[in-house]
Amino acid sequence: QGATANEDKLQPKVPETIELLGRAGVNVWMLTGDKKETAVNIGYATRMLNDGMDQIFLTKDDTDGPDALLAKLEHWAEECNIAPAAMRTRELALVIDEKSIDAVMAANPHALLTVARNCKAVICCRARPDQKAAMVRMIREGVPGVKTLAIGDGA
């Protein structure tokens, strides 16, 4: 009987680099298969997330079913559309999981794009490779002139 543990470590200067990218106006997305708690911890460790951000959680654990999920997403999309200048002064972060990605991509992908465009950081957790590719495609096709870099199984 025994146990094995494997701890991932960040490369040197990763948090500082991501923080500098953010200050330069680059929005960073993390599309990962990790569970929500792990992904959020990585978000903090890499400085993608900070305590001053308004964090929008669209996950099965944080909403009461598909109707509540879509209502929450549409609320934030409306906030972004009504007061776009005010939203630019706020630091927003979006955390969305596999089931929620499927639900919003089927029901209202435009609202997801609206919210995601206004976020300094987006974390997709428990995401499958096809979902990662769909998220990248959504930005590439939905935001004229945007530059994206995708590495890994969703690229």
Side-chain angles (χ1 to χ4, degrees):
Q1 303 255 334
T4 302
N6 183 12
E7 182 179 339
D8 291 332
K9 293 191 183 226
L10 295 175
Q11 295 290 323
K13 304 283 186 185
V14 167
E16 296 86 352
T17 302
I18 290 177
E19 186 176 35
L20 284 171
L21 289 169
R23 279 196 252 147
V26 175
N27 295 340
V28 178
W29 290 30
M30 178 173 58
L31 312 175
T32 180
D34 288 333
K35 62 184 180 178
K36 180 180 84 171
E37 294 78 12
T38 303
V40 168
N41 287 337
I42 293 168
Y44 277 104
T46 59
R47 298 186 191 160
M48 284 178 62
L49 299 177
N50 65 62
D51 289 330
M53 291 179 146
D54 289 323
Q55 297 178 12
I56 305 164
F57 285 90
L58 297 177
T59 68
K60 65 179 174 130
D61 297 335
D62 299 296
T63 54
D64 294 324
D67 291 339
L69 170 78
L70 291 172
K72 187 174 184 178
L73 173 67
E74 289 166 357
H75 163 78
W76 279 102
E78 188 175 319
E79 288 283 317
C80 293
N81 285 327
I82 290 173
M87 294 306 281
R88 282 192 286 273
T89 64
R90 296 169 71 178
E91 282 193 323
L92 297 178
L94 173 64
V95 178
I96 186 169
D97 66 4
E98 172 188 16
K99 296 204 181 306
S100 300
I101 293 169
D102 283 341
V104 300
M105 290 296 259
N108 196 342
H110 181 72
L112 178 59
L113 177 63
T114 299
V115 173
R117 286 183 66 178
N118 284 277
C119 289
K120 190 169 182 85
V122 175
I123 296 176
C124 299
C125 50
R126 286 291 189 214
R128 302 182 312 264
D130 63 300
Q131 291 175 316
K132 296 174 189 179
M135 294 294 286
V136 172
R137 191 171 40 256
M138 177 183 71
I139 287 295
R140 285 183 179 158
E141 294 173 1
V143 183
V146 73
K147 302 291 183 223
T148 62
L149 169 64
I151 301 168
D153 62 3

